[in-house]
Amino acid sequence: IGTGISILEMSHRSSDFSKIINSTENLLRELLNVPENYKILFLQGGGSGQFSGIPLNLIGLKEDRCADYLVTGTWSAKAAKEAEKYGKVNVIHPKLDCYTKIPDSSTWSLNPSASYVYYCCNETVHGVEFNFIPDTKGVLLVSDMSSNFLSRPVDVSKFGLIFAGAQKNVGCAGVTVVIVREDLMGKALKECPIILDYQVQAGNNSLYNTPPCFSIYIMALVLEWIKNNGGADAMERLNEQKSDIIYDNINHSNGFYSCPVDEACRSRMNIPFRIGKKEGDESLEKAFLDGASKLGMISLKGHRSVGGIRASLYNAVTVEDVKALAAYMEEFLKNHR
Ligand code: PLP
């Protein structure tokens, strides 16, 4: 950035770094239209750190110290488990046999005196994504957007808090964005570690302690790239186009490829699918992955807990990349049907 030293050497209290963190925040405000009464924090500890940070800061907002968790996959299940350490957790729909759908909202039994309702907007492992904002009947809404942050616009004003680790769509690991409404801060439980206390971090412009400076800088570069490429609306159009290509391919394969997720909540970011038969033919899947890797297409293996294949189509993946994968899928089908 023209100072003669790298971000890695720079003091986080220097005016040069202040410019970087402020411009990162301004870009985020602009790209997501973040209202003035929301703070944006850049924290460490990853998405998982927020699984603790959220109950530690928010579960005490109401006397009952309870929270509702919509569990639709691995990540919301983990968040609910962590929150149990700090209060009463009501899992809205207990573990389904497998996570492939979002149960109809008329079946949710929300607790009106809960401090907040929590959900994971995109379940990265299972490929289940909310394409609507849950109606919580006035109870504060909290969302994990780690794996679909800035993949589309979002109405921040509908939420008490949104958080996202940067490493999927907006940068590299090390920094987690927390967007929190100002009036919710200052009610942390006394055992809340100070670095996770939103009010302390907000009061120090996320510089209570040394922040992940380099990751914040990378995020600024990625946000500029998103802005220069048309912002959140353009990302949404691209992600629709990209995911449609793969889902069409699956739908037109006469069952050779199958995605277990309900059509209504299929993720635009992470597409899990099986090959050969519904529960997956592991030797065919291995052959698919080996062939893909020879073509330079890597990281297509499904998460170890679900197996199969998973195509992750984050913002950095281009339409051309996705077309190459689709062409390979067609070729593989022809050769192995
Ligand atoms: N939430 C979601 C949706 C994720 O996909 C992940 C990680 O993949 C996490 C939370 C956990 O994030 P971290 O590894 O930064 O703790």
Side-chain angles (χ1 to χ4, degrees):
I1 57 165
T3 57
I5 60 167
S6 112
I7 313 285
L8 296 172
E9 300 166 293
M10 198 179 268
S11 161
H12 62 285
R13 309 246 173 242
S14 65
S15 61
D16 286 321
F17 186 70
S18 288
K19 281 185 212 144
I20 293 172
I21 196 166
N22 291 340
S23 81
T24 315
E25 175 174 347
N26 291 338
L27 278 162
L28 263 179
R29 281 198 183 277
E30 182 183 338
L31 288 168
L32 286 176
N33 272 321
V34 179
E36 295 232 325
N37 61 329
Y38 284 74
K39 291 283 185 201
I40 299 182
L41 309 176
F42 299 101
L43 304 183
Q44 303 193 58
S48 307
Q50 289 312 309
F51 294 171
S52 333
I54 285 158
L56 281 161
N57 281 274
L58 304 180
I59 209 159
L61 282 171
K62 290 192 190 163
E63 254 175 45
D64 290 1
R65 277 204 194 181
C66 57
D68 286 342
Y69 276 71
L70 295 168
V71 173
T72 53
T74 304
W75 293 111
S76 44
K78 285 193 173 173
K81 191 150 188 288
E82 183 64 15
E84 279 171 8
K85 294 179 182 168
Y86 307 106
K88 279 174 263 153
V89 166
N90 173 29
V91 172
I92 298 299
H93 33 83
K95 194 175 182 332
L96 312 157
D97 335 336
C98 48
Y99 297 117
T100 54
K101 59 179 175 231
I102 299 172
D104 191 88
S105 58
S106 63
T107 65
W108 303 351
S109 52
L110 295 174
N111 171 4
S113 57
S115 294
Y116 59 87
V117 177
Y118 177 106
Y119 77 107
C120 177
C121 196
N122 182 62
E123 284 285 358
T124 322
V125 172
H126 292 89
V128 173
E129 184 172 18
F130 281 74
N131 59 14
F132 64 98
I133 297 181
D135 176 6
T136 60
K137 317 264 183 279
V139 177
L140 191 73
L141 186 59
V142 170
S143 184
D144 175 1
M145 297 195 182
S146 292
S147 54
N148 64 354
F149 194 58
L150 268 167
S151 68
R152 50 170 153 131
V154 58
D155 182 352
V156 175
S157 71
K158 296 271 194 307
F159 296 83
L161 183 147
I162 290 171
F163 73 95
Q167 62 266 33
K168 307 288 196 307
N169 264 339
V170 289
C172 64
V175 61
T176 305
V177 177
V178 173
I179 304 176
V180 55
R181 218 173 64 206
E182 275 170 356
D183 61 297
L184 306 174
M185 300 189 304
K187 316 246 170 50
L189 304 183
K190 69 173 184 339
E191 52 272 50
C192 180
I194 196 156
I195 55 162
L196 284 179
D197 187 317
Y198 301 145
Q199 190 175 45
V200 171
Q201 288 288 9
N204 287 279
N205 201 22
S206 304
L207 303 176
Y208 171 77
N209 64 324
T210 315
C213 299
F214 197 75
S215 303
I216 293 172
Y217 169 66
I218 296 291
M219 191 193 291
L221 296 182
V222 176
L223 296 178
E224 259 170 44
W225 176 86
I226 292 177
K227 183 178 165 180
N228 293 337
N229 283 279
D233 289 317
M235 292 302 119
E236 180 173 42
R237 284 193 297 277
L238 277 176
N239 289 320
E240 254 172 34
Q241 191 189 346
K242 281 153 44 183
S243 52
D244 281 352
I245 293 173
I246 301 299
Y247 285 123
D248 283 351
N249 221 322
I250 292 172
N251 291 344
H252 294 133
S253 70
N254 277 327
F256 183 72
Y257 297 114
S258 60
C259 171
V261 182
D262 242 27
E263 299 244 358
C265 55
R266 286 185 171 177
S267 169
R268 299 245 164 93
M269 293 280 101
N270 310 98
I271 306 183
F273 62 91
R274 305 296 314 222
I275 305 180
K277 50 185 181 180
K278 265 211 156 66
E279 56 291 1
D281 175 328
E282 285 182 19
S283 64
L284 268 183
E285 288 171 348
K286 184 173 179 318
F288 181 90
L289 290 170
D290 290 346
S293 149
K294 287 199 184 102
L295 294 171
M297 291 185 270
I298 54 167
S299 296
L300 281 164
K301 198 170 187 322
H303 191 271
R304 60 189 187 285
S305 61
V306 292
I309 314 293
R310 176 177 52 167
S312 288
L313 311 180
Y314 300 122
N315 286 349
V317 176
T318 64
V319 175
E320 287 65 40
D321 295 335
V322 175
K323 283 185 178 159
L325 173 61
Y328 171 63
M329 286 171 74
E330 281 167 30
E331 190 61 28
F332 188 85
L333 183 152
K334 260 193 237 138
N335 296 336
H336 294 85
R337 161 116 281 162

